[in-house]
Amino acid sequence: MASGRDRAYEFLKDTVLGDPAMQGQFINEQELADRIGVSRTPIREALLMLAAEDLLRLVPKKGAYIPAMTMREIKELMELRELLERHAAERVLAGDRSALNGMAEALEAQRGLLTSEDSRGFIEWDRRFHAALVSATGNQLLVRVYDGLRARQVTVGVAALGRAAGRREAVLAEHELILNSLAEGDGLAASLAITTHLQATLKVLLAG
């Protein structure tokens, strides 16, 4: 069974930090402790871990603060994702493609949320689609590095959905192109599809 600290860490990373509405806000430790069902001690331990990952800031006498992502940080996030995912695509095409099944399952789950108001759910499956690609490399260090981008990835994805009409349909089409290119063994097309997909999201965010 996961410890209180680990439960608090996962909840903060998956639910709180991935919520665009929480950017620029302080975290209410007691409210969070009540919500998770733990004392404030594991909450504080989890906050220290997340601060060490630079996902939030601990402000003396005020508490934990979630800073809004700057455009520079968003650009750097997308650049890093592009490097990691294009490398992952190369590795997948050079080896076992069985992990494409996980990408296909995530894509189908996304399609099921096309008309839903659950933006977080749609983007969580978006994250799983890309994570399945990276996981397919079998490089555990690479997987951990990519997983460290999780909260930022979800925040950016949810924000993009709210800023462009038809973005969900576009995401599905872009994901399908990535998956089909990999399935056909076309490395150049897969690499281009990944770049096009990430740049499309970035363009939406830059447009404000």
Side-chain angles (χ1 to χ4, degrees):
M1 182 176 179
S3 67
R5 182 198 65 183
D6 291 341
R7 286 163 53 201
Y9 175 86
E10 291 299 327
F11 184 85
L12 279 161
K13 198 163 189 177
D14 290 340
T15 305
V16 179
L17 295 178
D19 182 358
M22 285 301 297
Q23 291 199 15
Q25 304 293 323
F26 279 92
I27 293 174
N28 186 316
E29 292 183 13
Q30 188 58 58
E31 181 180 300
L32 188 61
D34 293 341
R35 189 171 179 183
I36 301 174
V38 298
S39 69
R40 293 178 66 173
T41 296
I43 297 294
R44 289 170 179 164
E45 292 173 346
L47 291 174
L48 285 171
M49 293 169 64
L50 293 165
E53 296 178 32
D54 201 28
L55 290 174
L56 53 78
R57 297 173 188 165
L58 299 179
V59 182
K61 299 182 180 180
K62 290 188 176 182
Y65 176 76
I66 304 175
M69 289 182 68
T70 65
M71 279 302 163
R72 176 180 176 179
E73 289 172 330
I74 292 172
K75 289 178 181 178
E76 290 176 349
L77 169 66
M78 303 311 271
E79 181 181 1
L80 180 55
R81 284 188 57 192
E82 182 179 348
L83 289 170
L84 296 178
E85 292 182 31
R86 288 180 62 163
H87 171 73
E90 292 176 3
R91 289 286 302 274
V92 168
L93 291 178
D96 183 8
R97 300 187 200 174
S98 62
L100 296 181
N101 294 333
M103 296 176 71
E105 290 170 4
L107 180 55
E108 283 305 309
Q110 271 195 299
R111 285 199 182 100
L113 293 172
L114 177 60
T115 59
S116 168
E117 295 183 1
D118 185 8
S119 296
R120 284 293 302 279
F122 184 88
I123 291 301
E124 174 57 25
W125 282 109
D126 181 289
R127 184 194 68 78
R128 294 187 188 188
F129 176 87
H130 292 276
L133 171 60
V134 175
S135 180
T137 65
N139 184 323
Q140 293 307 305
L141 180 56
L142 180 62
V143 171
R144 287 197 296 272
V145 169
Y146 192 83
D147 187 63
L149 306 176
R150 189 169 72 201
R152 295 181 178 93
Q153 184 177 350
V154 171
T155 296
V156 164
V158 172
L161 285 187
R163 295 187 187 185
R167 184 59 193 148
R168 290 195 191 203
E169 290 85 352
V171 166
L172 292 175
E174 291 159 14
H175 279 187
E176 186 170 6
L177 184 56
I178 293 170
L179 184 58
N180 288 344
S181 298
L182 289 170
E184 293 167 5
D186 191 335
L188 182 60
S191 182
L192 179 59
I194 290 169
T195 295
T196 300
H197 172 53
L198 296 176
Q199 288 299 313
T201 298
L202 180 59
K203 183 177 180 180
V204 168
L205 294 168
L206 291 177

